[in-house]
Amino acid sequence: MERWKGRVALVTGASVGIGAAVARALVQHGMKVVGCARNVDKIEKLAAECQSAGYSGTLIPYKCDLSCEEEILSMFSAIKTLHQGVDVCINNAGLARNEPLLSGRTEGWRNMIDVNVLALSICTREAYQSMKERNVDDGHIININSMGGHRMVSSADEHFYCATKFAVTALTEGLRQELREAKTHIRATCISPGIVETEFAFRHHNSDPEKAAAVYESIKCLKAQDIASAVTYVLGAPLHVQVKEYFISLLLVSIVGLRISYPS
């Protein structure tokens, strides 16, 4: 991680959970981290905590609604003006709505597509263009996916959400292929955790907190810090190594699956 000191990372959905843990970890390693969310109060608090802890990096809160392309483009413009551009893009933001395939509301489906698929794709495009115009050839784009992006779960509440995460799996592979065709050494990685104990389930089942709590009580869950550790592992891999997919789950002991290749 030494080579990332002083360089700029964007972390979407940085106010809570995995995003907050990733932002903290990167600041600890000396990076300038732009953490974005619709509500930046918690990011501002985290930034103050990082400063008080004496971390060598900096956390810069940025208010952005990822369902609005204009706000995403404005954010990248601000990053260019203030910090030259993005070297690392962590597409972490994601959400789930209780909208089954047979009875779900179009509004809920559209919301999941806007954040889980379109925002991720827009941020990826803008991050790549930022790297390209500055001749950054060692950048990294990391998509925080889900095991739901590789297998369907049995709950109807999750089916459309899983479809958006299957899209993330496909988009990451497509990105890897396009980066290879562009003859760049910018790397692309998909990190797919199992159940992580965050606020995710409580937001997903916002009308039934008992159901949300049961999700985390039913199994020994991963922690947000486990995913942050996976991110720093991936970023810290030697330049000739690309971690294509990183699966992480917890069943009595940690089980991690890696697919590693050589960047073109």
Side-chain angles (χ1 to χ4, degrees), residues 121-169:
S121 299
I122 295 167
C123 288
T124 294
R125 180 190 67 202
E126 296 304 310
Y128 171 70
Q129 293 299 329
S130 174
M131 296 173 199
K132 183 180 178 182
E133 69 184 20
R134 293 176 295 122
N135 296 314
V136 171
D137 197 46
D138 64 342
H140 209 136
I141 298 168
I142 298 176
N143 293 331
I144 305 299
N145 196 359
S146 165
M147 288 305 296
H150 303 272
R151 65 190 184 204
M152 292 298 292
V153 299
S154 57
S155 171
D157 291 345
E158 314 286 345
H159 289 163
F160 198 93
Y161 167 76
C162 285
T164 65
K165 289 301 185 176
F166 266 77
V168 172
T169 301

Side-chain angles (χ1 to χ4, degrees), residues 8-12 34 36 62-64 66 68-91 118-131 133-134 141:
V8 179
L10 169 66
V11 179
T12 65
V34 177
C36 78
Y62 195 95
K63 182 179 177 62
C64 181
L66 291 168
C68 177
E69 181 176 11
E70 289 75 16
E71 291 198 22
I72 298 175
L73 297 180
S74 177
M75 175 176 65
F76 273 91
S77 179
I79 294 172
K80 179 179 180 178
T81 300
L82 298 173
H83 310 289
Q84 286 71 59
V86 171
D87 301 304
V88 171
C89 180
I90 313 291
N91 288 310
L118 287 178
L120 176 145
S121 299
I122 295 167
C123 288
T124 294
R125 180 190 67 202
E126 296 304 310
Y128 171 70
Q129 293 299 329
S130 174
M131 296 173 199
E133 69 184 20
R134 293 176 295 122
I141 298 168

Side-chain angles (χ1 to χ4, degrees), residues 7-127:
R7 300 183 69 178
V8 179
L10 169 66
V11 179
T12 65
S15 59
V16 294
I18 293 172
V22 169
R24 179 191 291 273
L26 298 186
V27 171
Q28 260 184 298
H29 284 284
M31 296 193 75
K32 293 178 183 177
V33 180
V34 177
C36 78
R38 286 178 299 175
N39 188 327
V40 295
D41 291 349
K42 291 182 179 179
I43 305 178
E44 289 172 347
K45 181 179 179 183
L46 178 59
E49 290 174 1
C50 289
Q51 186 174 17
S52 296
Y55 295 159
S56 56
T58 308
L59 177 57
I60 304 114
Y62 195 95
K63 182 179 177 62
C64 181
D65 182 351
L66 291 168
S67 65
C68 177
E69 181 176 11
E70 289 75 16
E71 291 198 22
I72 298 175
L73 297 180
S74 177
M75 175 176 65
F76 273 91
S77 179
I79 294 172
K80 179 179 180 178
T81 300
L82 298 173
H83 310 289
Q84 286 71 59
V86 171
D87 301 304
V88 171
C89 180
I90 313 291
N91 288 310
N92 163 74
L95 56 87
R97 295 280 184 256
N98 293 330
E99 308 292 354
L101 299 178
L102 298 181
S103 59
R105 296 170 302 163
T106 305
E107 177 187 359
W109 294 342
R110 184 176 289 115
N111 190 203
M112 284 185 272
I113 289 174
D114 283 346
V115 177
N116 299 0
V117 180
L118 287 178
L120 176 145
S121 299
I122 295 167
C123 288
T124 294
R125 180 190 67 202
E126 296 304 310

Side-chain angles (χ1 to χ4, degrees), residues 12 96 210 253 261:
T12 65
E210 290 185 4
V253 294
S261 60

Side-chain angles (χ1 to χ4, degrees), residues 1 17-26 28-29 90 92 142 144 189 191 193 196 222-237 243 246-248 254 256 258:
M1 290 294 292
I18 293 172
V22 169
R24 179 191 291 273
L26 298 186
Q28 260 184 298
H29 284 284
I90 313 291
N92 163 74
I142 298 176
I144 305 299
T189 300
I191 296 179
V196 185
L222 294 163
K223 303 297 183 183
Q225 182 55 47
D226 297 323
I227 317 308
S229 296
V231 169
T232 56
Y233 173 83
V234 167
L235 285 173
V243 182
Y246 192 132
F247 304 93
I248 178 166
S254 237
V256 178
L258 298 177

